[in-house]
Amino acid sequence: MKRLLLVAAAAAGWMTKQKPIPNLGVVLRPREGVTSRPSTLRRLRGEGVARVKLETYGAREVREAVANLGTGARVAVSIPDAEVEDVSKGGAAADRVCAAIKSVHEHVDGVLVGVTPPSGAGADLKRLAQIANASRSVSKACSTINASVPVTTAFDLNVLRSSYPPSASLFAAPGPLREVLVHLRETKAPFAIQLDPYGAWRSSYYDVSLDFATFALDPSRDRPQFVDDGSGAQYYALIDAMLDSVRWALAKEGFGDLDVVITRVGWPSGLVDTVNPPPAADAPGAGATLELAASFAHGLGKRRGVLGASAPELQKNVNQGYVVAYIYEADDGAPAPDGLRWGVCGQQGSLKYSIRTGAVVAPRLRTASTACLGPACIRKRFSHAKQHDVEMAALGVAVGALILGVAAFVAILSIQPAQARSPRSPTQVERIMRVANQRAEENQRAARAAPSLLKP
């Protein structure tokens, strides 16, 4: 037993000494009744993750995250949506946020006001005003007690009116948003954005390659997915195009100098309901596999904060500094609202895949094996069936096997050399680049005509 304890202690020490992957973190959503998941964070630290974004701001949660991530730990905290209105009024609510992080503020990268992104247009104008006022209130309250931290809020691509090509991107409601941007510049806080490459790919799975969405295109051997004629930038990864769209929109409003942080990005590893077989190609959940999730996370980690395309026109107009990105999410411990599994770790904190190597380390969770085919499942499914039903099912299986055998034989006889992949057209790329900002398009006119709701 003593020897086992020594080995465990040595392993824990080795994990905390692993050099962190720069600019890479994970999102840790709260699980009911649980403030932290030590096993999850320790395993992720062994993968080089030393940053975490909490969807709360409690001092206890921050201290636990710092302790479990070890040396060099960095934490971003969030003000829940339900508290934003009170915090926007200043006073005790804003003081409470700053008091909670005061003792650990040297580990805090920033405070995010709200969890759900506002679109920045139309019906969200009132909420946008509350967020801006809450940001000012927290900044002022924290500076008063010598616990100053950057304060920002996370948008998603609905904040853009157009996003293709990236160099032509524009904000949907630049007027109301401008006061938010001014506050970010004054306090040296970054512009925060949530990106969903999986959702964008799912909208056009039939004509946009998974390679483009999951960092699998290699500039040394592959052709770019598309070239932005406005900047000359060549795009091999969807996330680069999404990020540059935000950067160009900031530059058009005169805020190209702002840093950008990606507060949520990732690729799902499967469905929450693992009893049912994998969905059809055009059904929700298609493409959500452990292999693709591992490929995406590994590709993001290899970038080491260098995101976005490279071109002289880009370098001249936008800030291309290192980008902090938080993978959604740390583990599957909290209920998934969209029916997908996003965690790097499983519910018990065990790694599903390695960010460092891109290898799947939990084969039993592979999406392709999620169909319930074991004896127990078969007995359960046929426990109430009649003898005739069982016989018909067996006959169906036999016929299906015969058909598959014939099809395989024909396929072997007709194998042809694979055709070279042709580059996708700009029209196809535009379709996925615009999927996340449809609401902003609908609200554009109302947003431009609406007066500012921000307090002086």
Side-chain angles (χ1 to χ4, degrees):
M1 178 61 73
K2 183 177 181 180
R3 182 175 297 178
L4 288 175
L5 291 175
L6 289 174
V7 172
W14 176 82
M15 285 194 300
T16 57
K17 291 179 181 177
Q18 291 298 295
K19 188 175 181 181
I21 300 175
N23 307 80
L24 185 68
V26 293
V27 177
L28 187 65
R29 291 192 297 133
R31 188 196 304 181
E32 186 175 354
V34 180
T35 57
S36 178
R37 273 93 87 188
S39 60
T40 293
L41 295 180
R42 289 170 186 166
R43 285 188 173 90
L44 289 173
R45 182 63 181 86
E47 286 293 304
V49 174
R51 296 177 183 271
V52 64
K53 181 174 82 74
L54 303 174
E55 294 192 348
T56 181
Y57 59 83
R60 176 184 173 187
E61 288 85 345
V62 176
R63 286 195 299 268
E64 289 178 347
V66 170
N68 290 311
L69 288 174
T71 305
R74 305 297 303 172
V75 180
V77 301
S78 308
I79 299 174
D81 293 335
E83 298 183 33
V84 170
E85 184 175 0
D86 286 341
V87 174
S88 70
K89 300 172 184 176
D95 293 340
R96 183 172 62 248
V97 176
C98 298
I101 65 173
K102 178 175 170 54
S103 63
V104 290
H105 82 275
E106 67 274 10
H107 294 284
V108 178
D109 277 337
V111 176
L112 288 156
V113 179
V115 173
T116 305
S119 71
D124 271 353
L125 281 177
K126 180 178 179 180
R127 184 162 179 265
L128 183 63
Q130 291 177 345
I131 287 172
N133 292 325
S135 299
R136 291 196 189 97
S137 298
V138 173
S139 294
K140 182 178 179 180
C142 289
S143 64
T144 302
I145 60 173
N146 297 319
S148 296
V149 293
V151 182
T152 185
T153 192
F155 295 89
D156 59 20
L157 285 190
N158 285 322
V159 76
L160 300 181
R161 182 180 72 187
S162 61
S163 58
Y164 182 85
S167 62
S169 297
L170 296 169
F171 282 119
L177 192 62
R178 185 173 184 81
E179 297 185 58
V180 176
L181 301 178
V182 168
H183 172 73
L184 296 179
R185 174 180 283 165
E186 291 174 347
T187 57
K188 295 182 170 57
F191 183 87
I193 190 76
Q194 294 186 4
L195 301 178
D196 183 13
Y198 172 74
W201 171 79
R202 278 293 298 122
S203 71
S204 297
Y205 69 92
Y206 42 81
D207 59 14
V208 175
S209 72
L210 277 168
D211 289 348
F212 181 54
T214 59
F215 294 102
L217 289 183
D218 186 346
S220 66
R221 69 167 188 266
D222 296 318
R223 300 165 71 178
Q225 183 85 49
F226 73 97
V227 177
D228 186 335
D229 293 335
S231 67
Q234 298 181 346
Y235 288 97
Y236 295 87
L238 177 55
I239 191 175
D240 290 334
M242 289 178 155
L243 181 61
D244 282 351
S245 294
V246 175
R247 285 169 162 166
W248 274 109
L250 288 169
K252 299 287 179 61
E253 296 301 317
F255 294 90
D257 57 310
L258 290 180
D259 288 328
V260 178
V261 58
I262 303 174
T263 57
R264 170 178 168 168
V265 67
W267 196 274
S269 59
L271 294 168
V272 171
D273 184 2
T274 58
V275 174
N276 293 326
D282 59 349
T289 71
L290 266 174
E291 291 76 12
L292 290 174
S295 175
F296 182 90
H298 177 58
L300 184 62
K302 283 201 306 183
R303 291 294 196 88
R304 308 183 82 79
V306 181
L307 296 172
S310 178
E313 191 68 18
L314 268 166
Q315 296 166 0
K316 182 174 66 177
N317 288 279
V318 304
N319 177 7
Q320 289 193 295
Y322 289 96
V323 178
V324 174
Y326 294 91
I327 295 176
Y328 184 78
E329 58 185 320
D331 61 27
D332 293 328
D338 54 7
L340 297 170
R341 293 186 183 275
W342 294 85
V344 179
C345 296
Q347 292 182 351
Q348 305 304 318
S350 298
L351 281 175
K352 294 194 288 189
Y353 56 82
S354 170
I355 297 174
R356 283 193 183 278
T357 67
V360 173
V361 296
R364 65 187 180 83
L365 293 177
R366 289 179 186 270
T367 303
S369 302
T370 56
C372 187
L373 300 175
C377 297
I378 293 175
R379 284 196 300 271
K380 181 178 179 181
R381 291 184 178 183
F382 288 95
S383 60
H384 302 291
K386 297 179 181 179
Q387 181 66 26
H388 173 72
D389 296 329
V390 175
E391 292 173 352
M392 293 303 295
L395 178 61
V397 171
V399 172
L402 178 62
I403 293 173
L404 287 175
V406 173
F409 179 76
V410 173
I412 292 173
L413 296 178
S414 60
I415 290 178
Q416 298 293 334
Q419 296 181 351
R421 181 178 62 230
S422 59
R424 270 57 180 177
S425 69
T427 301
Q428 295 165 340
V429 176
E430 180 178 7
R431 188 178 294 118
I432 66 166
M433 290 295 296
R434 292 177 62 87
V435 67
N437 62 351
Q438 292 177 353
R439 286 187 300 161
E441 288 276 4
E442 296 171 357
N443 294 328
Q444 177 194 357
R445 294 181 182 276
R448 290 186 179 279
S452 173
L453 299 176
L454 304 182
K455 295 191 302 187

